[in-house]
Amino acid sequence: MRILSGIQPSGRLHLGNYFGMMRPAIELQEKGEAFYFIADYHALTSIQSPADLRVFSREVALDLLASGLDPGRAVLFRQSDVPEVTELSWILSTVTPMGLLQRCHSYKDKVARGLAASHGLFAYPVLMAADILIYDSDLVPVGRDQKQHVEVARDIAIKFNEIYGQALKLPEAEIRDSVAVVPGLDGQKMSKSYGNGIFLSEPEGSFRKKVMGIKTDSTPVEAPKSIEGSLILQLYRLVGTPAECRAMEASFQAGGTGYGEYKKELFRALWGHFANYRRRRAELEASPGRVEAVLEEGAMKARAAARVVLGRVRKAVGLC
Ligand code: TYM
């Protein structure tokens, strides 16, 4: 089974990226042949500072490795180290109906938030389809915001296969309900661009400050508190054991404890969860050549796999 996913280096990675995609993807590396990449071509639709793109790309690699991506099991690479994907993207664009792209809400959302309505932003799902299809991917672990894009990739593959024969494998999205949309500090989806994130590489002081700053209602200390829609509980459930979560819920319902105490416990649990991440990240930062070496090897392996599918596609359409 081939598993594939990507992350844009368009900012530092946050808990939403981690719980929504990185943790499930890292678990899946045990279950098949995994390909995980830094979507730097995609990030060009929003980042136009070369220095930032370089820094964020390295951050994504560091964060994935520090979170437990094992380069002995999974292939980690930069999207742009496999330029074949842009050729496939062009070929796919010739069979992609305009209406399919016009229906994509991510494009409309990004333009509504002020991103320039470039052709790259509009055609983003076609490149994403090429990312997925060029590795014959079976499974694509993503957060819910990417569901439509994976469906578009499937639709494009179906269209291509109808015209040219069965050259492309149909992928499935893998979305875990419990972490499909990790909320940010304001209760909206946590996002690199909404200013509501807690970053994986957040220093302890600001991590604590962000958690302690979570807005709560004005229920008095002694009164029972609503567990429905509580952001503290939603975040706690990401890391607490079932027994710990039940205990916090029971304590909410019993009353007698202030929100400040729950936030302290939430901080302790979240910060503790990332202890291994911090240790591994410090080790990686101390050996700067390591990340480059992993990416170079990943590029070679990914490129070899991509060439197989691109060769099949070129033949199917009559380019060779
Ligand atoms: P990106 O960089 O926006 O996000 C990376 C992954 O993190 C997930 N995610 C979340 N999950 C739950 N809750 C949240 N608050 C949250 N925020 C982000 C995203 O769903 C995603 O899985 N287009 C993709 C990158 C990409 C890609 C691909 C993914 C390019 N080509 C091919 C899969 C396959 C993106 O922008 O993800």
Side-chain angles (χ1 to χ4, degrees), residues 8 16-17 42 124 131 142-143 145-146 180 182 189-190 192:
Q8 287 195 75
N17 298 126
H42 275 117
Y124 183 114
D131 289 328
V142 284
D145 60 352
Q146 297 300 317
V182 174
K189 181 191 89 162
M190 191 177 287
K192 294 185 196 110

